[in-house]
Amino acid sequence: MAESGEPETTVDKREKEEKEANSTTEEISFRSLGVTEVLCEACAALNWTTPTAIQRESLPIALKGKDIIGLAETGSGKTAAFALPILQALLDTPTRLFALVLTPTRELAFQISEQFEALGSGIGVKCAVIVGGVDIITQAMALAKKPHIVIATPGRLVDHLENTKGFSLRTLRYLVMDEADRILNMDFETEVDKILKVVPKERHTYLYSATMTRKVQKLQRASLHNPVKVEVSSKYQTVEKLQQSYIFIPSKYKDCYLVSILNELAGNSFMVFCGTCNNVQRTTILLRTLGLHAVPLHGKMPQPKRLGALNKFKTKSRSILVATDVASRGLDIPHVDVVVNFDIPTHSKDYIHRVGRTARAGRSGRSITFVTQYDVELYQRIEQLIGKQLALHPTVEEEVMALMERVTEAQRIARMEMQTAQEKKRERGEEKGAGPRSKKRKKEKIDTTEL
């Protein structure tokens, strides 16, 4: 170190800054933020040693009983940021139907429930997940047992509030809206309004969102009392350890390039994002026909199949998950190595969420975006949003085109399977119809919800 009175060298300054940074990191723990001992032990059991940025900023405020607006990018540890204060408050005043967490998707609801149960395992926390696609009577029985925490999608929760006898939210102390921007983008505004009318005015509210849209600002004014804004990331950005690239290709060769990428990077786990449920199903069949282990995940699958597909991918028994944007938010799958944007997202903000499925919690990852002649404007919007140009992913056209014959045959088989599945659905619908009118209604419904 420089002697007293002498200016510090650049090396001295750097050493000093590193020591200060290290000492700050050492001092910050869940315990130092005010989290009680039993919950600190639960965090340790989950291998959570150091709080993330959003947790460091929000936990002390939440533990003081303040309402919070939390803005942070996907994969930043938002769930623990609201779960720990709720569980700590529940320890002080044990009450049934203590907290409600609203989420945009079913998969995210189950994941949040798992985290609550893991963190609250030492204090006997009971959770109920209330989402569509699951038997409503079974859910009504779960609600009758008065769980401590209810995690729900807005539509199904409103169904229970209107139709399940004896169920109300009068005892609620905490309301959480997770991924609030996505909840509102999915046209749940009417349902959220209905829920806000029946929850107690005297409550704590946490609103967590990746982006602050006009709709979220309106929701904030309607539901929070003197909130504290916690913003970890002020601009749209992707993590540094994510290698982002693109491929510019003719639309008709997209399948060939996808198969080529999957072969080239074999041994990794992939999430392949498509724009529609139909294309997810078609792409999955095509990949399976070519011997690649793919599973689909989209909003029109029955809930048990959705959870089954997700579990197969999480347990690594399948290495490729083909999905719509239903899987782009909040899902924590630690081992995703590569994200492929097979269909470029229509909304550039969705790009951030999709590629956020990889390079999580300090790990590295890779994303590859397919850009066709029809996608140039959408691609330019993405580059403008993230403030950087993507690298061109190197490909050898001759090697890709060598796959053409096999891929064309797989496309033909996929089309036939899709057509057969659609015809079976139509037949089942017509069998269930009681008369000409109901047959017509059922047929129209099937035509619009194919696969």
Side-chain angles (χ1 to χ4, degrees), residues 35-61:
V35 178
T36 194
E37 188 62 34
V38 66
L39 294 175
C40 286
E41 289 171 7
C43 291
L46 292 168
N47 292 323
W48 297 352
T49 52
T50 309
T52 64
I54 189 68
Q55 291 161 6
R56 286 198 302 272
E57 296 294 325
S58 65
L59 282 172
I61 299 163

Side-chain angles (χ1 to χ4, degrees), residues 168-401:
S168 79
L169 299 169
R170 283 194 299 271
T171 60
L172 207 70
R173 302 282 185 87
Y174 283 82
L175 171 66
V176 181
M177 285 173 276
D178 190 25
E179 303 283 3
D181 52 341
R182 183 88 187 276
I183 289 174
L184 299 174
N185 285 344
M186 291 171 74
D187 294 327
F188 282 130
E189 282 180 82
T190 307
E191 288 83 356
V192 171
D193 286 342
K194 286 180 181 177
I195 293 163
L196 289 175
K197 281 176 185 171
V198 298
V199 294
K201 293 280 187 286
E202 295 298 317
R203 64 170 192 273
H204 301 291
T205 307
Y206 302 148
L207 189 152
Y208 279 88
S209 181
T211 56
M212 179 54 82
T213 63
R214 285 194 188 92
K215 287 181 178 179
V216 174
Q217 285 175 331
K218 184 181 171 186
L219 181 60
Q220 163 201 330
R221 289 194 295 273
S223 59
L224 281 77
H225 305 290
N226 299 321
V228 177
K229 190 174 182 181
V230 177
E231 191 166 1
V232 173
S233 171
S234 57
K235 63 175 185 175
Y236 302 110
Q237 59 185 25
T238 51
V239 295
E240 288 178 14
K241 290 193 176 181
L242 174 66
Q243 298 174 35
Q244 301 174 78
S245 59
Y246 76 98
I247 305 176
F248 189 63
I249 47 176
S251 179
K252 62 181 178 181
Y253 297 135
K254 279 173 77 174
D255 289 340
C256 280
Y257 274 87
L258 176 62
V259 175
S260 173
I261 293 290
L262 296 174
N263 287 336
E264 175 197 336
L265 302 174
N268 289 296
S269 62
F270 299 84
M271 284 187 77
V272 179
F273 282 101
C274 297
T276 64
C277 302
N278 213 45
N279 206 20
V280 166
Q281 205 69 21
R282 183 200 70 84
T283 305
T284 305
I285 296 168
L286 180 136
L287 295 178
R288 285 176 176 171
T289 304
L290 293 167
L292 296 162
H293 297 146
V295 284
L297 179 64
H298 58 76
K300 290 177 183 174
M301 288 169 64
Q303 190 58 33
K305 285 193 174 181
R306 284 166 70 164
L307 290 174
L310 202 54
N311 286 334
K312 282 177 184 173
F313 186 64
K314 278 187 173 181
T315 56
K316 302 187 181 182
S317 66
R318 297 291 184 275
S319 59
I320 305 164
L321 181 69
V322 187
T324 57
D325 280 313
V326 76
S328 70
R329 288 281 194 110
L331 295 186
D332 186 23
I333 307 166
H335 65 275
V336 179
D337 301 311
V338 185
V339 167
V340 178
N341 288 305
F342 183 70
D343 293 330
I344 199 164
T346 312
H347 301 289
S348 42
K349 287 172 193 171
D350 287 336
Y351 174 84
I352 307 273
H353 301 299
R354 287 184 180 187
V355 301
R357 298 306 97 215
T358 187
R360 294 170 75 83
R363 287 179 289 268
S364 59
R366 179 184 290 190
S367 71
I368 302 168
T369 300
F370 285 14
V371 184
T372 72
Q373 65 270 36
Y374 309 112
D375 305 324
V376 175
E377 190 179 340
L378 292 172
Y379 171 71
Q380 287 171 338
R381 282 186 206 159
I382 289 169
E383 285 195 329
Q384 190 176 3
L385 181 75
I386 63 174
K388 65 167 77 171
Q389 288 190 325
L390 305 190
L392 181 65
H393 184 83
T395 54
V396 180
E397 191 177 341
E398 292 77 15
E399 291 178 8
V400 177
M401 290 300 105

Side-chain angles (χ1 to χ4, degrees), residues 111-123:
Q111 184 175 290
I112 290 170
S113 174
E114 285 170 11
Q115 288 214 2
F116 262 104
E117 287 176 350
L119 287 168
S121 57
I123 58 175

